[in-house]
Amino acid sequence: NKAMAWSARFSEPVSDLVKRYTASVDFDKRMARFDIQGSLAHASMLAAVGVITEQDKADIERGMSQILDEIAQGQFQWLLDLEDVHLNIEKRLVELIGDAGKRLHTGRSRNDQVATDIRLWLRNEIDIALDLLAQMQRKLAELALAQADTILPGFTHLQVAQPVTFGHHLLAYAEMFQRDAERLQDCRKRVNRLPLGAAALAGTSYPIDREMVAKLLDFDDVCRNSLDAVSDRDFAIEFCAAAALIMTHISRFSEELVLWMSPRVGFIDLADRFCTGSSIMPQKKNPDVPELARGKTGRVNGHLIALLTLMKGQPLAYNKDNQEDKEGLFDSADTIRDTLTIFVDLISGIKVKPEAMRAAALQGFATATDLADYLVKKGLPFRDAHETVALAVRECEQLGCDLADLNLEQLQKFDSRIESDIFGVLTLEGSVASRKHIGGTAPERVRIEAQRILDRTQG
Ligand code: ARG
């Protein structure tokens, strides 16, 4: 086991199983680009403060640039013996440039190195997710504009409640994705601080310039306590929490898409490219993508709990437990990235069936509340109006008709104040158009809000 950097201290090698058990290179090698970026900034700083020479720095830059090429071309040899991404790259650097490579790790530990790598990697993922969340909102706003006048039943308890516009319904999800974006922006502030300089846990006696490194790496600040810098992963937990909420919102949307596409409901159709057939039932077109997204929400929620649990028992400062932070974090980021990318396209492929929506809204007395509000405007206290309309609904149920199907004479039996202007109120269009305040479902309001989202997510 001579490859181990610390072999002089040890009298026997680890078994193959322990080697595999403790190694992380299989999954942390995906941070290689950021590991090198961090090393280059560290080397520049070491040269600037005179800990290494300008020649060392130039050699390190040359070696790292070759390593980047080797990785890009798939020629880099990742070795399990070298445990993780950091030692693999460092070993290759020494092979390529000799002593200058051995000087790179001056005033640094893998503990502050890995914390830096994760932050650089995660910052990049956050920026990608933010872009995707903006695209999602745009797609929803575009569809909402096109469907601002389309009426469907709004539901509570999965029972017809009041008519709403489909545009309004879609914009509810745009609001959720906007809050998800705000959460990520906020999380990014705490991700974007530099751990390097903390070294193993106590800092270093070299005359390092942490602010210079922070600037080179575009960090907004440096971590102010070395023990905290190498040990806490709360920034990753925050990201996992934000990712879990993104998936939760996607999952609710998916549930509705599945429901809407069910032949019994038939409100929409999804483009074929998001569906699959059945191996036995030829008639099937299944909404696999939304169902899988709903399913994948489970693993992303799970990663949040895994990371919280990983952290809760750890004394200061670094413990190897922290190596377990990566796979769940990576998977959360990959899952939201793939899911959002697919959904941006999926939304463009939604085919709306307004007739089915309208037919459903005409069942279930969706305008009962409008009738009660009408009576209130004629002077009835709301609770009495509520009771009066309940009696009218009961009558309709017995007759097998809708409120709007009753004639004026029938309606007046319930309250003599009802006049012929009632029919404007009992229609679906009248109902939604009257809710034109901020946050309301009226087509005119939907157009304003959709435009606001399009303006906000521009560019
Ligand atoms: N692979 C390790 C990790 O992911 C790097 C830090 C290792 N440090 C140590 N002292 N064992 O956390």
Side-chain angles (χ1 to χ4, degrees), residues 245-456:
L245 277 168
I246 291 171
M247 287 306 291
T248 298
H249 291 149
I250 288 271
S251 187
R252 296 187 70 190
F253 188 41
S254 295
E255 168 66 16
E256 298 216 282
L257 292 172
V258 171
L259 195 67
W260 292 340
M261 196 180 143
S262 146
R264 284 179 179 246
V265 177
F267 287 178
I268 62 157
D269 202 6
L270 289 180
D272 284 357
R273 63 183 181 281
F274 303 107
C275 302
T276 59
S278 157
S279 59
I280 174 168
M281 299 167 284
Q283 83 280 18
K284 284 286 200 177
K285 179 178 158 188
N286 299 325
D288 281 28
V289 166
E291 287 176 6
L292 252 183
R294 196 174 57 189
K296 282 177 190 287
T297 305
R299 65 203 269 171
V300 175
N301 287 355
H303 297 321
L304 170 62
I305 298 300
L307 267 187
L308 282 167
T309 312
L310 171 72
M311 207 67 240
K312 73 177 271 292
Q314 286 192 55
L316 293 181
Y318 179 86
N319 304 278
K320 185 80 164 185
D321 311 41
N322 276 343
Q323 183 165 289
E324 282 287 306
D325 62 359
K326 289 174 203 62
E327 286 157 294
L329 176 66
F330 293 166
D331 188 66
S332 289
D334 290 344
T335 306
I336 60 167
R337 189 208 277 225
D338 288 351
T339 305
L340 289 170
T341 304
I342 291 172
F343 269 67
V344 165
D345 187 23
L346 181 141
I347 292 169
S348 330
I350 293 177
K351 187 172 164 269
V352 180
K353 298 176 169 172
E355 325 73 45
M357 291 183 176
R358 188 178 176 81
L362 287 170
Q363 289 164 11
F365 312 106
T367 54
T369 313
D370 296 274
L371 177 53
D373 289 340
Y374 172 89
L375 291 172
V376 168
K377 283 167 201 155
K378 299 274 174 173
L380 216 58
F382 183 76
R383 278 296 157 224
D384 293 340
H386 186 281
E387 190 56 23
T388 301
V389 178
L391 290 172
V393 165
R394 193 155 92 180
E395 169 102 351
C396 284
E397 271 180 330
Q398 274 157 12
L399 295 171
C401 70
D402 191 48
L403 285 170
D405 298 329
L406 298 176
N407 62 34
L408 189 57
E409 199 184 328
Q410 286 169 305
L411 283 165
Q412 280 171 338
K413 272 196 302 179
F414 296 102
D415 193 292
S416 57
R417 277 164 283 200
I418 296 177
E419 291 164 70
S420 61
D421 59 347
I422 187 60
F423 294 105
V425 170
L426 290 182
T427 63
L428 300 176
E429 284 73 18
S431 172
V432 294
S434 65
R435 291 162 164 79
K436 56 179 191 248
H437 54 78
I438 296 172
T441 193
E444 92 178 72
R445 178 56 61 180
V446 169
R447 278 186 270 272
I448 293 169
E449 290 298 328
Q451 195 52 54
R452 251 165 52 93
I453 291 166
L454 290 176
D455 294 343
R456 166 176 89 202

Side-chain angles (χ1 to χ4, degrees), residues 24 28 84 86 110-111 114 233 318 320 322-323 326:
S24 55
D28 66 17
D84 56 24
H86 324 293
R110 279 185 301 154
N111 296 354
V114 70
R233 297 289 183 264
Y318 179 86
K320 185 80 164 185
N322 276 343
Q323 183 165 289
K326 289 174 203 62

